[in-house]
Amino acid sequence: MLVYPSGVDVSSSALRFLTQQLRRHRRTIGSRWRLLSAGRQALLTLAHLRVGHTYAQLVAGFGVGITTAFRYVSEAVELLAALAPSLADAVRTASVKAYLILDGTLLPIDRIAADRPFYSGKHKKHGMNVQVIADPFGRLLWASPALPGAVHDLRAAREHGILDALAEAGMRYWADKGYRGAGGTVRIPCWGRWENLSAGQKAANRSHAKIRALIEPAAATLKSWRLLRKLRCSTTRITRLVQAVLTLHLTSSN
């Protein structure tokens, strides 16, 4: 495989943060020697998450074995995922916000037609359902654990406890029609065919759509980490990958 110098479009603060976490972890477990320094391991992990480089590409670029590359990435992902904020943490952070925006996004995976639990009828593809919470400016605040793509957004929000948590905190949040019946403090568009809505309902729906559209940058933030655009790993690892990306994003944006 040919090797050439390349770049990773991640802030240096994310690299420094992950390097510090890896150094602390190595001291904790008493690891005396590694093929790669903590800084190089951090860079290898960021190249995998941000650029989506395969393990074969990482092996060629960093001069380690494929087993070592997998172990290094897994170790870093576990450290980052453990630092991801919980839903309760996110709600406390958002308590000063005027309102929130909730929506679901699908992370595509490579599955065959027989894998029905992972097939999203809404998106017409296989994937994992991740619930995303954003602030009024469209900034990503929290991302949920991943569920199979066939799971409806309302069911996913209930399973994660999002609806109850926001209702208990008294937080208003905007969502699309998929969350009809959520109750609590949710705000959804007026129900019905467009031509059957009154002028006031149409105006309310237009205003609602403008607010809810701000969730798109938050969902795009997750998918700017190219590994999440087409996941080819076990579905049991996807939640940890999402949590790791969330940690890196929040760390570098603070």
Side-chain angles (χ1 to χ4, degrees):
M1 184 177 294
L2 298 176
V3 179
Y4 67 95
S6 184
V8 182
D9 55 339
V10 177
S11 68
S12 58
S13 61
L15 178 62
R16 289 194 300 269
F17 172 78
L18 181 52
T19 300
Q20 291 170 357
Q21 296 301 319
L22 289 169
R23 284 174 180 162
R24 186 177 296 115
H25 175 69
R26 290 184 180 190
R27 287 195 299 268
T28 300
I29 65 175
S31 179
R32 296 182 179 181
W33 182 84
R34 298 281 188 98
L35 285 174
L36 296 182
S37 67
R40 292 288 287 173
Q41 182 182 354
L43 183 59
L44 179 146
T45 303
L46 292 177
H48 180 63
L49 295 176
R50 184 70 175 189
V51 189
H53 284 330
T54 64
Y55 289 110
Q57 292 171 315
L58 295 175
V59 165
F62 287 84
V64 296
I66 196 162
T67 302
T68 300
F70 179 83
R71 179 165 51 85
Y72 278 179
V73 170
S74 298
E75 181 181 51
V77 166
E78 288 297 320
L79 284 175
L80 291 170
L83 297 172
S86 65
L87 176 59
D89 295 332
V91 172
R92 280 194 297 270
T93 301
S95 61
V96 297
K97 309 292 184 182
Y99 60 88
L100 300 175
I101 312 171
L102 172 66
D103 199 5
T105 188
L106 189 80
L107 302 181
I109 60 175
D110 60 340
R111 286 294 184 272
I112 60 175
D115 294 319
R116 298 303 298 176
F118 299 99
Y119 185 77
S120 169
K122 176 181 177 181
H123 298 276
K124 308 301 182 185
K125 62 177 69 173
H126 293 84
M128 300 294 285
N129 181 310
V130 173
Q131 298 293 298
V132 175
I133 296 178
D135 69 7
F137 298 98
R139 292 177 296 214
L140 177 64
L141 297 179
W142 186 75
S144 75
L147 292 174
V151 175
H152 192 273
D153 282 339
L154 179 57
R155 176 186 162 191
R158 283 175 172 158
E159 287 194 17
H160 296 311
I162 299 173
L163 307 182
D164 292 338
L166 294 178
E168 289 176 7
M171 292 293 303
R172 293 186 302 162
Y173 60 100
W174 266 246
D176 62 23
K177 293 180 180 179
Y179 295 86
R180 185 188 184 198
T185 54
V186 67
R187 299 291 185 271
I188 63 171
C190 297
W191 190 263
R193 298 179 64 88
W194 181 259
E195 59 270 18
N196 296 332
L197 298 178
S198 66
Q201 289 174 323
K202 290 180 179 179
N205 279 9
R206 291 192 189 97
S207 176
H208 187 283
K210 290 179 181 179
I211 294 174
R212 196 173 54 78
L214 294 174
I215 194 70
E216 297 302 328
T221 295
L222 281 181
K223 294 179 182 179
S224 66
W225 297 78
R226 295 175 185 84
L227 184 70
L228 300 184
R229 295 181 187 177
K230 186 66 173 180
L231 289 153
R232 294 177 173 83
C233 62
S234 168
T235 55
T236 60
R237 297 186 61 224
I238 294 177
T239 290
R240 308 302 280 173
L241 291 171
V242 171
Q243 291 172 331
V245 166
L246 178 63
T247 298
L248 287 170
H249 166 70
L250 295 177
T251 300
S252 58
S253 60
N254 289 337

